[in-house]
Amino acid sequence: MQQISHDTLFEADRLPISISPQVAENMDRILTSIRQHLRMDVAFISEFLGSGRMFRTVDTAHPVAGVSAGAVLSMASGYCQYVVEGRLPELIPDTSAVPLALTIPETYALPIGAHLSVPIRNDQGAVFGTFCCFSHRAMPELGAPELELMHIFSRLVARELSEDVTRDRQHRSKINRVHAAMWGGDPKIVFQPLFRVSDGAVTGVEALSRFPTLSDTRPDQVYAEAHAVGMGGTLEMLAARRAVALCRDLPDELLLHINVSPHTLMTEDLRKTLHGFDPRRVVVELTEHDPVEDYEGLILALHPLREAGMQVAIDDAGAGYSSLRHVLMMRPDVVKLDVTLTRHVDTDGLRKAMAAALVEYARRTGTIVVAEGVETEAELETLRELGIDEAQGYHLGMPEPIGELLKDMN
Ligand code: C2E
Ligand code: CA
Ligand code: CA
């Protein structure tokens, strides 16, 4: 028997979808039962990957060289594409009677005497791949009932796959959106000033990302999507690099606050990103909405930068999540009160009590407290009474491009 030559082995145009273990097991079971029932030599499910196709699951009576789960072959070398295009019939009891089949390399390589193949389509009619059986010898006895059985099983496979396919489509769409934004020049960086409450002096600026390409999506949602598909670190570092580059003309006494998630700090080299910017002028704001599992790793990753003078702030303190634990574990230089605590702090006793507690904690530990999202003079006045060190918010200064901010400050 001839083997499938290596030049038919193929680099796929796109990645295969990830199939959950339970679905894979069910597909195996389906393949075995159909192959045994039809007395075929090989049954397999292929996934189309652009100009390649991948054997997802294979069931054989005896091993057939080149036909194994995970192998990717070119579309052109086999039957699948011709069947989907309608150029070959789904049912071929005897390949020697079909001229086009005799031009396909696999007919001789495997060899294929009889072939059954039906497309696996989702609800919208899109083709996932094919559900196929073949035997080495011709099987003139194959007919409409066998083909009908293949169709029934193919629909079963499609139903099994539908959740994984949907999940995969959503995953790809997130990746595409983040890519599109990056190609479109996003993130653009704006800066919001932080003010010392006692004398109103500007102490620094916080870099915030804007995504004009994805105008229907809030920045924190874009970051959440990016993190969900493993691109969060890339995006955060890109934003940080741009922020640093834009702050070359920032007056020396002002600090630059950048937002970075703990996961990114542990996987990316922040020191490289700072690109020579004096670490003593940088405050990294740790934003984390999921519990940190490896505090030791995080503390270790931050150690050299903190040694070099970089400050650490805990963002969104008091917002729930894990932020108070975060404060205890990280011993930050700065704690930023979440906007939900600032809002109506002048009229809401509970919020005021919570803010006061954090100020007390900060006083005892030598930590600076910043209130975010200050929108009214009354909120600011109450925060001043409570002893908050710094404040940030629309009432004091909007996020804006660096040029405009520097103009406003002069
Ligand atoms: P955050 O770090 O807590 O940033 C503060 C948010 O409050 C910003 O929203 C800011 O525009 C907004 N804000 C400022 N003053 C006020 C105010 O007076 N009232 C109200 N209601 N909001 C105010 P923004 O820019 O939409 O960012 C949302 C979140 O997205 C940020 O929350 C941060 O978690 C994330 N984010 C934004 N830019 C970046 C970035 O470059 N990197 C990373 N990792 N995360 C970012
Ligand atoms: Ca922040
Ligand atoms: Ca916040």
Side-chain angles (χ1 to χ4, degrees):
M1 188 187 303
Q2 213 180 327
Q3 289 211 342
I4 289 190
S5 73
H6 270 286
D7 53 354
T8 56
L9 282 177
F10 209 74
E11 195 70 49
D13 295 336
R14 66 170 183 80
L15 294 171
I17 78 159
S18 85
I19 296 179
S20 44
Q22 185 58 52
V23 172
E25 203 183 306
N26 294 347
M27 293 202 319
D28 280 342
R29 223 174 279 139
I30 291 172
L31 275 188
T32 309
S33 49
I34 191 107
R35 190 187 61 73
Q36 289 176 349
H37 181 79
L38 297 180
R39 292 196 300 280
M40 293 289 209
D41 291 309
V42 177
F44 66 88
I45 289 169
S46 77
E47 177 180 359
F48 290 179
L49 304 171
S51 54
R53 66 201 154 101
M54 181 184 197
F55 292 112
R56 293 306 308 239
T57 335
V58 177
D59 187 70
T60 57
H62 309 283
V64 176
V67 185
S68 55
V72 181
L73 300 179
S74 108
M75 274 292 197
S77 74
Y79 285 54
C80 296
Q81 190 176 15
Y82 292 122
V83 172
V84 169
E85 288 171 357
R87 293 166 66 192
L88 274 180
E90 292 176 340
L91 167 66
I92 306 176
D94 181 358
T95 53
S96 70
V98 179
L100 181 56
L102 295 176
T103 68
I104 297 171
E106 282 181 2
T107 306
Y108 308 98
L110 295 175
I112 301 175
H115 196 272
L116 271 166
S117 168
V118 296
I120 302 168
R121 294 180 193 274
N122 68 12
D123 292 344
Q124 286 84 46
V127 176
F128 167 83
T130 51
F131 179 46
C132 303
C133 289
F134 67 82
S135 97
H136 296 311
R137 55 173 186 87
M139 294 176 72
E141 67 275 22
L142 292 179
E146 285 76 17
L147 185 58
E148 179 54 22
L149 198 65
M150 288 292 286
H151 277 285
I152 291 168
F153 274 70
S154 148
R155 283 196 290 274
L156 208 62
V157 171
R159 206 172 317 141
E160 283 288 329
L161 282 168
S162 67
E163 253 179 51
D164 288 343
V165 168
T166 304
R167 192 177 321 112
D168 185 77
R169 193 178 316 124
Q170 286 164 350
H171 186 87
R172 281 175 216 269
S173 131
K174 283 182 189 149
I175 291 179
N176 290 343
R177 275 163 53 81
V178 176
H179 271 150
M182 283 164 58
W183 276 105
D186 295 353
K188 302 272 188 294
I189 310 296
V190 290
F191 297 85
Q192 187 178 33
L194 287 88
F195 294 84
R196 192 155 52 220
V197 173
S198 59
D199 62 0
V202 176
T203 61
V205 296
E206 177 177 3
L208 292 163
S209 292
R210 292 293 172 263
F211 296 90
T213 310
L214 305 174
S215 55
D216 58 338
T217 314
R218 292 199 323 257
D220 51 326
Q221 286 176 324
V222 178
Y223 276 99
E225 281 186 27
H227 280 296
V229 295
M231 295 175 73
T234 307
L235 203 58
E236 287 185 351
M237 288 298 104
L238 183 58
R241 210 172 304 127
R242 287 190 179 151
V244 165
L246 287 165
C247 281
R248 294 278 163 217
D249 296 332
L250 195 69
D252 285 347
E253 68 279 12
L254 298 191
L255 300 179
L256 167 61
H257 291 239
I258 54 176
N259 292 287
V260 184
S261 65
H263 182 258
T264 301
L265 275 175
M266 286 164 67
T267 51
E268 310 272 337
D269 190 350
L270 183 59
R271 198 194 279 261
K272 264 197 200 144
T273 299
L274 296 182
H275 209 265
F277 197 86
D278 184 352
R280 287 169 303 182
R281 294 181 59 202
V282 174
V283 182
V284 49
E285 297 194 359
L286 286 181
T287 343
E288 182 55 315
H289 297 175
D290 302 315
V292 174
E293 269 143 35
D294 179 15
Y295 270 106
E296 216 171 296
L298 179 57
I299 289 164
L300 225 68
L302 277 170
H303 183 72
L305 281 157
R306 291 187 96 168
E307 282 286 288
M310 189 190 75
Q311 295 183 44
V312 171
I314 299 300
D315 216 340
D316 303 338
Y321 317 125
S322 54
S323 54
L324 286 184
R325 174 141 189 270
H326 225 40
V327 171
L328 288 173
M329 298 299 291
M330 295 307 300
R331 304 183 176 278
D333 307 280
V334 180
V335 168
K336 295 190 81 175
L337 286 196
D338 188 60
V339 58
T340 54
L341 283 186
T342 305
R343 187 67 55 256
H344 308 309
V345 68
D346 50 322
T347 54
D348 182 332
L350 289 179
R351 288 184 164 98
K352 197 167 164 180
M354 178 68 113
L358 278 165
V359 169
E360 175 63 14
Y361 168 86
R363 200 183 54 77
R364 291 192 189 196
T365 54
T367 312
I368 287 176
V369 185
V370 180
E372 291 185 320
V374 178
E375 288 189 358
T376 67
E377 185 57 33
E379 284 168 357
L380 183 62
E381 195 43 50
T382 303
L383 292 164
R384 183 179 287 128
E385 282 164 20
L386 287 172
I388 296 273
D389 302 289
E390 298 183 11
Q392 191 180 356
Y394 298 158
H395 177 63
L396 298 158
M398 298 296 288
E400 51 184 357
I402 193 73
E404 280 161 49
L405 187 72
L406 292 175
K407 231 186 289 160
D408 291 350
M409 283 177 356
N410 285 326

